[in-house]
Amino acid sequence: MEEMEKSRIGQFEVRTDLALEERESFEGDGGEVSGVSLKEWDRKQTGVKLTEVRILNEQGAKAMGKPMGTYLTLEADRLSKKDDEYHSEISDELGTQLKKLMDQMLKGQERETLSVLVVGLGNPSVTPDSLGPRVLNNLQVTRHLTGEYGEDFLKKRDLPAISGIIPGVMAQTGMETAEILKGIIHQTRPQMLIVIDALAARSVRRLGTTIQLTDTGIHPGSGVGNHRHSLTKDSLGIPVLAIGVPTVVGAAAIVHDTVSALINALSQSESTKATGKWVGDMDSEEQYELIRELLEPEFGPLYVTPPDIDETVKQLSFTISEGIHRAVF
């Protein structure tokens, strides 16, 4: 999983991969942050909310704890549901946004046939971490057609040269993902990488309902504190577009959401209103410490995923693969 940055809640920290959530963690519900710009759009027809967070300079990067670049988030509550027609609409939107970002990243490059290497990060044996491999299983690759039918086959049909790889995890291969990809890039010479990975969110409601696109690359494995070599333009020599979907949420984040829900519930009744006020008057750190003391001895540091994550990942893998197809074909 991508590098999980730490979102501010009082003085304690909750991990999140989403730039949108990182920005929301600032005072004023994501108020003005120096060096960071925010744009939002609502697609009323599909119910998709688009949010673009751009980190413009080093000051913004330091404040956000993320590299400079563009982070585009697509949010849709129905994404986690089984609805083929709706997912097709999301694929259209995803394809449109992918193409825009790809055009920006490849600006100035001229090549008769677009050449893209798609990388599915994660462990196919661990459901919340299997999004990348599942997307690759649905991907329509074309690069091999050049070898079978001649150098001009793709050019004459105006088709891109799409190749794909599931590099596995270090415990399976004994190699860093960056090491594997450097060798492949050296041999196949793609123009850019599209990397798909599972992420971690701060908010439970964003699990399986949010897709993040970024032109800054990715840091595999560190979502669960397993830091690996980064996959970026600086490290690999070609642009890296990352697609991520949050599939897990940290226990600390659930604790904070639980406290908020608890305060609201207690405030509804006259008999418990005083207790709700007592908890509500605590600052975020005090609330966190109270719940942590009650829960941590039993649960410890955990990452939690929804019970229907298998179906969610399956649906999203088709949505994302179709979005890639619509962006490149």
Side-chain angles (χ1 to χ4, degrees):
M1 294 183 180
E2 184 183 317
E3 182 178 13
M4 299 171 65
E5 305 297 343
K6 296 178 180 179
S7 181
R8 301 158 189 77
I9 299 179
Q11 296 179 20
F12 70 90
E13 297 171 320
V14 176
R15 295 179 179 273
T16 178
D17 283 324
L18 300 175
L20 173 62
E21 290 189 331
E22 187 68 33
R23 196 177 191 285
E24 288 174 346
S25 69
F26 288 88
E27 291 183 7
D29 192 26
E32 290 301 319
V33 181
S34 181
V36 180
S37 71
L38 177 70
K39 294 181 181 178
E40 296 178 331
W41 305 267
D42 284 315
R43 299 286 195 258
K44 293 183 179 179
Q45 186 175 356
T46 58
V48 175
K49 180 181 179 181
L50 298 173
T51 305
E52 180 190 75
V53 176
R54 293 185 63 205
I55 301 178
L56 306 172
N57 53 38
E58 291 294 343
Q59 185 177 3
K62 184 177 180 181
M64 294 283 289
K66 291 183 178 292
M68 288 188 293
T70 299
Y71 300 81
L72 181 67
T73 305
L74 289 77
E75 296 179 88
D77 291 341
R78 289 166 57 195
L79 253 183
S80 61
K81 308 301 181 183
K82 188 174 181 179
D83 185 338
D84 292 343
E85 183 177 346
Y86 183 70
H87 277 258
S88 180
E89 294 175 352
I90 299 298
S91 293
D92 286 338
E93 184 67 55
L94 178 61
T96 299
Q97 300 304 326
L98 275 172
K99 190 174 188 312
K100 287 181 181 178
L101 196 54
M102 289 173 66
D103 288 344
Q104 293 173 16
M105 296 171 71
L106 294 173
K107 191 174 182 179
Q109 291 193 36
E110 293 185 8
R111 193 160 173 173
E112 292 179 341
T113 300
L114 175 66
S115 178
V116 178
L117 172 60
V118 184
V119 183
L121 298 181
N123 188 341
S125 300
V126 180
T127 303
D129 198 29
S130 66
L131 178 67
R134 290 197 188 197
V135 171
L136 264 289
N137 289 336
N138 301 328
L139 190 70
Q140 182 178 343
V141 295
T142 59
R143 183 178 178 274
H144 63 294
L145 298 176
T146 297
E148 291 184 19
Y149 302 108
E151 293 292 331
D152 292 336
F153 182 84
L154 296 178
K155 178 183 174 183
K156 287 179 178 179
R157 290 160 178 78
D158 196 25
L159 294 173
I162 307 300
S163 54
I165 183 70
I166 301 172
V169 294
M170 195 172 184
Q172 297 170 327
T173 66
M175 294 178 285
E176 290 274 2
T177 300
E179 293 174 326
I180 297 171
L181 295 182
K182 283 178 182 177
I184 295 173
I185 292 168
H186 177 73
Q187 290 294 323
T188 63
R189 305 291 183 185
Q191 284 175 280
M192 71 178 302
L193 259 63
I194 295 178
V195 183
I196 302 103
D197 199 9
L199 309 179
R202 184 179 69 82
S203 172
V204 174
R205 69 180 180 83
R206 287 199 167 101
L207 297 183
T209 65
T210 303
I211 302 174
Q212 177 176 267
L213 313 179
T214 178
D215 59 5
T216 63
I218 205 164
H219 304 269
S222 55
V224 289
N226 218 359
H227 296 274
R228 300 296 180 212
H229 292 173
S230 61
L231 309 179
T232 65
K233 184 176 182 179
D234 288 340
S235 65
L236 298 177
I238 60 174
V240 181
L241 191 161
I243 304 174
V245 176
T247 58
V248 297
V249 61
I254 296 176
V255 165
H256 188 265
D257 288 345
T258 301
V259 169
S260 298
L262 176 64
I263 293 171
N264 290 333
L266 292 174
S267 300
Q268 300 301 314
S269 171
E270 287 295 330
S271 61
T272 57
K273 184 177 293 186
T275 304
K277 186 177 185 305
W278 171 67
V279 178
D281 286 343
M282 295 180 179
D283 62 30
S284 293
E285 185 177 11
E286 290 171 335
Q287 293 175 3
Y288 173 77
E289 287 299 324
L290 172 64
I291 302 299
R292 185 183 65 81
E293 289 174 7
L294 294 173
L295 299 182
E296 194 170 271
E298 182 173 352
F299 295 105
L302 291 176
Y303 287 98
V304 181
T305 194
D308 59 348
I309 190 63
D310 184 71
E311 185 62 34
T312 298
V313 169
K314 180 181 177 181
Q315 284 282 126
L316 285 167
S317 68
F318 283 107
T319 303
I320 293 172
S321 61
E322 281 304 306
I324 294 173
H325 291 156
R326 296 172 196 191
V328 299
F329 285 103

